[in-house]
């Protein structure tokens, strides 16, 4: 399956320019720096999983009672064995299948609207690059299981009536699962500045853009001095 690019290269360039606006601590020379190359539209490969769980999740529940008198503060704790039985369903849990692309960057430009997935066709690659799958289905499935089991625990914890609940174990069983191959659209923009490459990524479906910007520390300290001086002046005037 694939989500085709909805954002154009020109849209991506405009969004980058908008990202720079209003950044008071951005070095002036960075504003004038040119993108290092043509903006790259890349289809990033993903594994996606439908996973269904059945089973019990166990907690140590704690109820806490506090009171005090003129001399001391008191706390009484009561402990309980808690078992939450449930059925949990997850659809298309995404796992990045490319080691080339930074996972944190990919998480930052998410989410994608997976309702717009369509059957893969080579025609969608015309004018774009496509990265290769280099993370195995099994490795990604273990990541998906960890994420979804943590979600199951969070959901089950909300079912407990106690003040605190400490996870102690589970016997969750995967009832069924399904695997998908997906390609999701991403634009990559690179800007060389002071012997470093600053990389920005844009969701090719929604237009969401992220990236780290350099800081002009000289400007930072100038602004800091102005603000600190203004505060000091106010304190003197009001006589604190």
């Amino acid at each position: 399956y694939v989500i085709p690019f909805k954002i154009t290269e020109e849209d991506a360039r405009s969004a980058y320019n908008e990202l720079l606006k209003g950044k008071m601590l951005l070095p002036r020379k960075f504003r004038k720096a040119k993108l290092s190359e043509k903006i790259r539209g890349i289809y990033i490969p993903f594994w996606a999983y439908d996973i269904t769980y059945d089973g019990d999740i166990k907690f140590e529940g704690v109820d806490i009672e506090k009171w005090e008198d003129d001399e001391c503060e008191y706390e009484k704790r009561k402990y309980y064995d808690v078992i939450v039985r449930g059925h949990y369903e997850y659809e298309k849990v995404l796992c990045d299948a490319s080691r080339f692309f930074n996972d944190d960057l990919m998480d930052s430009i998410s989410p994608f609207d997976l309702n717009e997935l369509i059957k893969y066709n080579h025609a969608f690659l015309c004018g774009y690059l496509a990265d290769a799958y280099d993370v195995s289905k099994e490795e990604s499935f273990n990541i998906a299981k960890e994420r979804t089991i943590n979600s199951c625990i969070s959901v089950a914890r909300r079912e407990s009536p106690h003040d605190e609940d400490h996870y102690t174990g589970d016997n969750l069983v995967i009832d069924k699962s399904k695997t998908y191959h997906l390609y999701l659209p991403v634009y990559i923009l690179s800007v060389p500045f002071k012997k470093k490459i600053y990389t920005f990524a844009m969701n090719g479906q929604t237009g969401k853009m992220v990236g780290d910007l350099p800081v002009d520390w000289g400007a930072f300290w100038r602004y800091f001095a102005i603000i600190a001086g203004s505060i000091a002046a106010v304190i003197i005037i009001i006589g604190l």
Side-chain angles (χ1 to χ4, degrees), residues 45-196:
F46 276 78
W47 296 105
Y49 304 92
D50 292 344
I51 309 175
T52 302
Y53 296 96
D54 283 299
D56 299 334
I57 298 177
K58 302 174 184 178
F59 301 95
E60 178 186 64
V62 185
D63 283 341
I64 303 171
E65 182 182 358
K66 295 182 179 181
W67 70 95
E68 60 183 61
D69 57 26
D70 293 337
E71 297 181 353
C72 293
E73 294 181 354
Y74 303 92
E75 179 177 292
K76 181 169 71 173
R77 290 175 170 250
K78 294 183 179 179
Y79 296 87
Y80 304 87
D81 290 328
V82 179
I83 299 176
V84 179
R85 182 162 296 165
H87 175 81
Y88 309 91
E89 296 184 1
Y90 297 89
E91 291 186 355
K92 294 184 177 63
V93 180
L94 293 177
C95 291
D96 186 357
S98 169
R99 299 189 195 279
F100 157 77
F101 203 78
N102 183 284
D103 289 344
D104 291 336
L105 204 57
M106 198 69 208
D107 289 340
S108 297
I109 63 173
S110 295
F112 291 84
D113 183 359
L114 299 183
N115 291 319
E116 296 187 356
L117 282 168
I118 59 178
K119 285 285 188 180
Y120 175 82
N121 186 307
H122 285 298
F124 291 119
L125 297 183
C126 184
Y128 299 101
L129 301 175
D131 201 12
Y133 280 82
D134 58 6
V135 179
S136 71
K137 179 171 66 174
E138 292 74 22
E139 181 180 350
S140 290
F141 186 60
N142 287 332
I143 295 172
K145 282 200 300 182
E146 180 180 357
R147 291 176 180 172
T148 50
I149 287 176
N150 286 338
S151 175
C152 291
I153 293 169
S154 296
V155 171
R157 181 175 278 117
R158 293 197 291 268
E159 297 295 320
S160 174
H162 301 291
D163 297 328
E164 294 180 0
D165 293 281
H166 306 288
Y167 170 75
T168 57
D170 65 76
N171 62 0
L172 291 173
V173 176
I174 295 178
D175 180 50
K176 61 182 179 180
S177 64
K178 185 176 180 180
T179 305
Y180 304 87
H181 299 80
L182 306 182
Y183 279 102
L184 303 182
V186 177
Y187 280 110
I188 303 294
L189 301 81
S190 299
V191 182
F193 181 70
K194 291 187 175 181
K195 298 181 180 181
K196 182 178 177 181

